[in-house]
Amino acid sequence: NPSVEGSYQGDISTPELGRILKVSSMPAGEVNLKGTLQYQNRADHPLLDNLSTSGRFRSAALALNLPQAHANVQGLSGEFRLSDGTLEARSVQGDLLGGKISGNFTLTNLSERPVAKVAVAVHHVSLEATSAALDVRALERTAVSGNLDGTLNGSWEGSGQKMQLRADATIAASAPVQQTAEHGPNVIPLQGDLHVAYGAPSGVISLRASRLTTPHTSVTFDGTTGKQSSLAVQAQSDDLRESDQIVLIVRQALSGGSQSSPAQIAPLGISGSGSFDGQLRGPMADLHLMGQLSGTNFRYRDTALSDLRMNVALSPSGVTLSQGRLR
């Protein structure tokens, strides 16, 4: 019936610790630990439930290898405590994706099926580094640069089952535009206010009162998207020349960013002001966008319309215009 008390200092390989704790999603690297421990044997309890330890930790670098993202945390430090089969990391701080990270992490039920909970705040994280970590190649091709500030709260079981994530973030960014005689600035400033939730295994992404704005354009999203989408979309612009440049950036990204034939992708040549109020519905393989489109002093190349109103329905099979009015 041993009982042990003591103090220690040493280095731990987190992959080995993960195998001991049966946590396959443990960040990979080496961590320096310094603390105290107590062990009181109880025959009817697992070893981890008999062990208590607390102290501080430091790590030069840890690799995060989740199914949804891959990134490195540098200069990580904080406090830890293991008691009754629960591991807690508090006052955690480090450098991540070009910015700063702070927060808390908890693993419960270590002796059986671990359950993880994380609460993180990020400051000045690079959008370029984030798109690379999430492997969002289309975003990388747009050459959008900027920073993100926000919070992330999440939970999952084992190696990522039943994952639930919620993120609230603000974005300050800029996107390069194609130089023309009508557009002096070579970038478009972009501001974002995002409230996103993700649930697995349903794969549903919820966007609540999320908004993207530029000097002349604003787009608001509210609803869900995933296997079955139901997303309200509202957009308005007082200068469609700017919207034309934004659409061009997206088209270039979706085309693969090929530079071999730049003449194939050019601005649409629209100007004026306009708005759209509609819904994005259906499964990802058969999305339908329906709503009302209106414009004032709208111009498309050599065609001018002082007033434009119509219902629009877009689907993979075509475009339907109804109840339209042109002047």
Side-chain angles (χ1 to χ4, degrees):
N1 189 30
S3 177
V4 179
E5 294 184 6
S7 61
Y8 60 90
Q9 180 175 349
D11 296 317
I12 283 186
S13 168
T14 57
E16 292 184 10
L17 179 63
R19 286 192 289 272
I20 294 172
L21 300 179
K22 299 179 181 180
V23 179
S24 59
S25 58
M26 183 75 73
E30 289 196 355
V31 180
N32 176 266
L33 302 176
K34 183 177 182 180
T36 61
L37 65 83
Q38 293 181 327
Y39 179 83
Q40 178 63 58
N41 185 57
R42 292 177 292 178
D44 57 341
H45 288 75
L47 181 145
L48 287 174
D49 290 353
N50 294 336
L51 179 66
S52 297
T53 179
S54 62
R56 295 193 60 83
F57 66 88
R58 294 182 180 275
S59 176
L62 283 179
L64 303 176
N65 295 309
L66 295 174
Q68 294 79 12
H70 304 275
N72 291 320
V73 183
Q74 298 178 328
L76 189 68
S77 65
E79 302 173 354
F80 68 91
R81 177 179 177 83
L82 173 64
S83 179
D84 294 324
T86 296
L87 175 64
E88 297 177 285
R90 301 292 181 185
S91 302
V92 180
Q93 298 184 17
D95 299 326
L96 175 68
L97 301 175
K100 299 291 185 181
I101 181 175
S102 61
N104 303 313
F105 177 74
T106 304
L107 273 174
T108 60
N109 200 31
L110 289 175
S111 302
E112 298 179 11
R113 184 176 179 82
V115 176
K117 292 185 178 181
V118 61
V120 175
V122 296
H123 177 65
H124 223 58
V125 165
S126 164
L127 291 179
E128 303 97 312
T130 301
S131 66
L134 297 174
D135 197 24
V136 185
R137 301 191 185 278
L139 182 57
E140 291 185 78
R141 289 193 290 265
T142 65
V144 172
S145 61
N147 300 299
L148 177 148
D149 295 87
T151 60
L152 172 68
N153 292 273
S155 64
W156 62 89
E157 295 183 6
S159 58
Q161 294 87 351
K162 298 183 180 180
M163 178 175 286
Q164 299 288 332
L165 298 175
R166 176 176 176 81
D168 299 282
T170 57
I171 295 174
S174 62
V177 299
Q178 188 180 88
Q179 285 285 358
T180 68
E182 297 180 355
H183 288 79
N186 57 4
V187 297
I188 296 178
L190 171 68
Q191 299 289 327
D193 186 10
L194 306 178
H195 307 280
V196 185
Y198 169 79
S202 65
V204 173
I205 299 174
S206 299
L207 295 167
R208 300 300 182 190
S210 296
R211 183 181 179 91
L212 298 174
T213 61
T214 63
H216 299 283
T217 307
S218 68
V219 183
T220 302
F221 305 94
D222 196 295
T224 61
T225 183
K227 295 180 180 179
Q228 189 71 30
S229 298
S230 178
L231 185 67
V233 181
Q234 293 181 321
Q236 58 184 13
S237 174
D238 59 20
D239 187 349
L240 290 173
R241 293 175 299 175
E242 181 192 73
S243 302
D244 197 2
Q245 289 290 335
I246 296 173
V247 171
L248 177 62
I249 293 170
V250 176
R251 291 166 62 204
Q252 290 174 332
L254 295 178
S255 71
S258 174
Q259 301 298 322
S260 59
S261 56
Q264 293 182 1
I265 302 179
L268 298 174
I270 61 175
S271 62
S273 62
S275 64
F276 176 80
D277 189 352
Q279 289 274 338
L280 184 67
R281 296 184 178 275
M284 292 300 293
D286 189 26
L287 284 175
H288 289 66
L289 180 63
M290 299 168 289
Q292 186 176 68
L293 177 68
S294 61
T296 304
N297 297 323
F298 179 83
R299 179 179 291 274
Y300 174 66
R301 297 183 180 177
D302 295 329
T303 300
L305 303 171
S306 61
D307 186 58
L308 163 68
R309 297 182 188 278
M310 64 180 65
N311 292 332
V312 181
L314 292 83
S315 70
S317 60
V319 179
T320 300
L321 308 177
S322 61
Q323 295 181 336
R325 184 181 71 184
L326 305 178
R327 181 177 298 143

